[in-house]
Amino acid sequence: MINISIVSLHCVKNDAQSNVLKAYAEWIRAEPNYSIKCYGYRTEYNLDELDYQVVDRIDKLLLDPYFQSSNIVIFQYGIYYPLMDLVALAPLHAKVMAIFHNVTPKEFIAPERHGLIDK
């Protein structure tokens, strides 16, 4: 079995990056020798729709047994979020991939979040 973890900011309905995450999960879940688990700050999907674990801190994800057993770890982002710092702490045996979805334009996010765009 090949275990795949995807780390993303969130997975919510009607969001382009979330739609990509959901599509990845569905493709991978359809393959018999692969398993997948997604992680991030929030989701609007139930476990039947998407195996997604809400994590609010790096250490919770870092200590997760499935994450540690992953053969492939995918980080997807379009804006900085602290879980991205795990890129350097992914399991040593895992292949790591980062997928950049482009920076979200400032006009689409709340003004108090503009510092994240700059970061």
Side-chain angles (χ1 to χ4, degrees):
M1 180 67 68
I2 295 175
N3 293 338
I4 300 172
S5 288
I6 299 180
V7 181
S8 187
L9 178 63
H10 59 242
C11 193
V12 296
K13 297 175 181 175
N14 302 315
D15 170 70
Q17 186 173 321
S18 298
N19 291 342
V20 170
L21 171 67
K22 185 99 168 46
Y24 291 159
E26 289 170 357
W27 295 334
I28 293 166
R29 213 166 37 175
E31 295 297 322
N33 295 321
Y34 291 80
S35 68
I36 183 166
K37 188 170 185 179
C38 304
Y39 301 89
Y41 294 120
R42 86 182 176 102
T43 185
E44 294 178 347
Y45 294 96
N46 65 46
L47 280 176
D48 291 334
E49 297 172 300
L50 181 67
D51 190 354
Y52 191 100
Q53 182 175 333
V54 174
V55 292
D56 59 354
R57 295 189 337 242
I58 289 173
D59 60 322
K60 288 184 179 177
L61 180 50
L62 188 59
L63 298 173
D64 183 82
Y66 186 92
F67 180 78
Q68 284 299 320
S69 71
S70 292
N71 305 94
I72 300 169
V73 179
I74 301 169
F75 293 90
Q76 72 167 23
Y77 63 102
I79 190 171
Y80 171 79
Y81 57 97
L83 293 179
M84 286 299 304
D85 294 340
L86 281 170
V87 167
L89 298 173
L92 292 177
H93 65 274
K95 301 287 185 192
V96 178
M97 180 186 329
I99 300 172
F100 178 61
H101 289 275
N102 203 351
V103 174
T104 303
K106 285 183 180 179
E107 58 267 19
F108 294 117
I109 63 171
E112 62 269 14
R113 301 240 180 216
H114 286 187
L116 291 174
I117 297 294
D118 298 333
K119 201 172 195 179

